[in-house]
Amino acid sequence: MKTIKIAVIPGDGIGQEVVPPAMDVLNTVAEVHGGLKFGFTEFPWNCEYYVKNGIMMPDDGLKALSDFDAVFLGAVGNPELVPDHISLWGLLIKIRREFQQVINIRPAKYFKGLQSPLLNPNDFDLIVVRENSEGEYSEIGGRIHQGEDEITIQNAVFTRKGVERAMRYAFELAMKRKGHVTSATKSNGIFHSMPYWDSVFNEIKDDYPNIATASYHIDALTAFFVSRPQIFDVIVASNLFGDILTDVGGAIMGSIGIAPAANINLNGKFPSMFEPVHGSAPDICGKGIANPVGQIWTAKLMLDHFGEIEMGNTLLEVIEGVIRDGISTPDIGGKCKTVEVSEEICRRLKTI
């Protein structure tokens, strides 16, 4: 029996509503698989925890998480209680950085039965590989002076190691998919970092002669996500550009509520973390209508990470079938509650 130990952090808002149903789905997957078992341990770290304790997680929190095979996160953020820069940097980004989760992957695809806002979605199926540890989201910078003389400096940091490993990950992924990698750049406007990004990309692509490539400036690329997303396979992007592109990816699917994500540790020293893109969504929290698909599709990425590719693909097929048959939450035009969607996914898994 293969046992996978999962640290569960439901977090804030709808994270607490979508994580339990996703755990039910994973337990059903284990039941259907027959040779797989999940061991879940839940941690109550969120903004309410911060209000009570003055920190988003205890001092030994990372040490506790390091004993697990993966972290399954719901959402972080409740700006009514804690400013976002405190909650995110105190939990989500802290885990990403200190567990060296240097790659973030986020797929987007057209689901039959899902009303994309695009007039002609053309069955797009793409995945963004986002550099997840540096770039525009570095901590280097600061403020000086006051009033009209105040100056703020924010430095972007691009290392050869960070850029190259993101690009190589993208090329290796493309070899298993449609064989195409697109680079997101802005070398016509950002003077140092983006020409450097382009030069590394041009070097790396020579090591993969069987992979077709393209390079687009981020403004044009974002427009192409809307006008012709079907031309893309794997897109590699910096931290900021990848973050923006993947929100667009969720939007063109029809709802950011179904978009999944994985934060990948490549060296095996720490667990990877799996989280949906949607955030805590305080506007619908407590209504029982949060879309669980983002969290459940995230569980599929976790299955893939542990080599359970066939089971992960089966789960995605079931998710697509449920959406195609109109069993969905209001954000994508349905009338179902959160648990009704997850229960139907579990029911269909058991009939396989």
Side-chain angles (χ1 to χ4, degrees):
M1 177 73 71
K2 178 180 178 181
T3 301
I4 301 175
K5 297 191 302 178
I6 307 297
V8 179
I9 308 175
D12 294 295
I14 65 168
Q16 298 180 29
E17 300 175 33
V18 297
V19 166
M23 292 165 63
D24 290 339
V25 170
L26 282 169
N27 282 329
T28 302
V29 165
E31 179 185 336
V32 172
H33 185 286
L36 180 64
K37 180 181 179 182
F38 292 100
F40 297 111
T41 302
E42 189 168 324
F43 295 87
W45 304 334
N46 56 19
C47 289
E48 290 181 359
Y49 183 93
Y50 180 91
V51 171
K52 293 177 183 177
N53 300 279
I55 49 177
M56 289 298 294
M57 68 164 70
D59 292 337
D60 63 350
L62 289 173
K63 185 172 185 263
L65 294 179
S66 65
D67 292 333
F68 291 86
D69 298 312
V71 179
F72 197 47
L73 176 68
V76 179
N78 184 344
E80 291 188 0
L81 295 178
V82 182
D84 281 342
H85 70 279
I86 292 176
S87 59
L88 290 174
W89 282 88
L91 186 59
L92 173 64
I93 297 177
K94 185 178 181 68
I95 295 171
R96 283 180 179 173
R97 294 289 171 90
E98 299 199 30
F99 278 179
Q100 299 172 25
Q101 295 167 350
V102 296
I103 300 294
N104 180 277
I105 57 172
R106 296 181 178 181
K109 71 190 301 290
Y110 174 68
F111 287 4
K112 289 182 173 59
L114 187 60
Q115 188 173 354
S116 168
L118 302 182
L119 182 62
N120 296 304
N122 292 317
D123 293 336
F124 65 86
D125 183 356
L126 58 89
I127 186 165
V128 176
V129 175
R130 169 188 172 192
E131 197 291 314
N132 204 37
S133 64
E134 50 183 44
E136 303 89 348
Y137 289 0
S138 81
E139 300 173 63
I140 299 174
R143 297 182 182 183
I144 58 173
H145 307 315
Q146 301 292 326
E148 65 179 13
D149 294 322
E150 188 171 14
I151 300 172
T152 301
I153 297 173
Q154 175 72 52
N155 291 333
V157 176
F158 288 76
T159 66
R160 174 73 189 216
K161 184 177 181 180
V163 171
E164 181 170 338
R165 68 191 168 199
M167 291 178 177
R168 289 196 181 278
Y169 190 97
F171 276 94
E172 294 292 332
L173 186 59
M175 291 174 66
K176 303 172 187 176
R177 289 174 49 93
K178 294 179 284 188
H180 191 283
V181 175
T182 299
S183 170
T185 184
K186 189 57 181 170
S187 51
N188 64 344
I190 301 177
F191 192 81
H192 293 293
S193 60
M194 285 294 106
Y196 176 71
W197 176 278
D198 291 347
S199 68
V200 176
F201 184 76
N202 288 330
E203 288 180 34
I204 299 301
K205 73 180 184 181
D206 289 340
D207 293 339
Y208 298 87
N210 295 324
I211 301 295
T213 62
S215 179
Y216 294 107
H217 294 303
I218 186 63
D219 41 357
L221 181 53
T222 305
F224 291 156
F225 257 46
V226 174
S227 62
R228 41 179 169 165
Q230 73 279 2
I231 71 171
F232 297 110
D233 178 20
V234 178
I235 301 97
V236 63
S238 67
N239 213 334
L240 174 62
F241 291 174
D243 196 5
I244 294 169
L245 285 172
T246 50
D247 276 13
V248 179
I252 63 176
M253 282 193 288
S255 171
I256 201 170
I258 69 173
N263 301 281
I264 304 298
N265 170 275
L266 296 178
N267 60 26
K269 294 180 180 179
F270 303 101
S272 295
M273 179 167 62
F274 300 84
E275 48 157 341
V277 175
H278 55 59
S280 58
D283 57 321
I284 60 169
C285 180
K287 297 181 180 179
I289 59 172
N291 196 328
V293 168
Q295 194 78 48
I296 296 170
W297 192 355
T298 294
K300 185 267 185 195
L301 298 184
M302 188 164 67
L303 289 169
D304 292 345
H305 180 70
F306 288 112
E308 299 295 338
I309 306 297
E310 183 177 350
M311 202 69 238
N313 289 339
T314 298
L315 175 56
L316 185 57
E317 289 172 7
V318 170
I319 292 170
E320 291 188 82
V322 166
I323 291 175
R324 183 177 60 246
D325 294 341
I327 302 167
S328 56
T329 46
D331 61 307
I332 53 175
K335 297 180 180 180
C336 295
K337 297 286 189 178
T338 304
V339 295
E340 291 174 328
V341 175
S342 62
E343 286 173 354
E344 179 62 16
I345 291 172
C346 288
R347 188 191 69 78
R348 295 192 183 195
L349 282 170
K350 290 177 181 177
T351 63
I352 293 173

